[in-house]
Amino acid sequence: MPLTADNVATVDAKRGIYNRNANTMDMTSNVTVTTTDGVAAIFKSVFLDMGKGSMKTGDAVDVSRNGSRITAGSMSVEDNGKVIVFENKVSVHIDPATMKAAEAKSGETNASQ
C-alpha cells in the first residue's frame, strides 16, 4: 500500500475480511507491517478503514524503527497517519547509539556532554 510518494507499506496477515462497500479490512490474526522507510510493526489484530485513513487495534502492538521500539496494549492511527496514539502499558526504548549517529549526521551537539 502506498503511504507517500516514496514510502510503501507491505501488510502480511494470516487472515482478514475485506469489505469493498465500506472500504475496510479487518485482519484478525498475526499481522505484520513493514515500510520502505524502515518501520516494522507486529499486531495480533488490526482494523483498517482505508476511506477514513484510520487504523485501530485493542491488542498488543510492537513497533520498531532504526533501533528504537514502542510497545503498547493498544494503538490507533487517524488522519492518514498524522496522529498516532499508543495506550495501555506503553513502553519506549530509544537506542542511544542511533541517537548519537543521528546527531552526528545532522551536526547537532548536546550541551550536557
Side-chain angles (χ1 to χ4, degrees), residues 1 3 11 25 27 31-33 41-43 45-59 61 63 74-81 83-86:
M1 291 193 285
L3 301 174
V11 180
M25 180 167 274
M27 293 172 278
V31 181
T32 59
V33 177
I42 301 169
F43 307 95
S45 67
V46 172
F47 181 81
L48 294 173
D49 188 326
M50 287 148 300
K52 292 181 180 177
S54 65
M55 180 194 89
K56 66 181 177 180
T57 181
D59 293 321
V61 301
V63 181
S74 63
M75 177 182 160
S76 63
V77 177
E78 300 294 330
D79 199 14
N80 292 310
V83 177
I84 302 173
V85 178
F86 294 93

Side-chain angles (χ1 to χ4, degrees), residues 89-100:
K89 297 183 181 178
V90 178
S91 174
V92 178
H93 171 77
I94 299 173
D95 180 26
T98 303
M99 293 298 293
K100 287 181 183 180

Side-chain angles (χ1 to χ4, degrees), residues 38 63-70 93-98:
V63 181
S64 60
R65 181 174 186 224
N66 297 333
S68 297
R69 182 176 178 195
I70 300 173
H93 171 77
I94 299 173
D95 180 26
T98 303

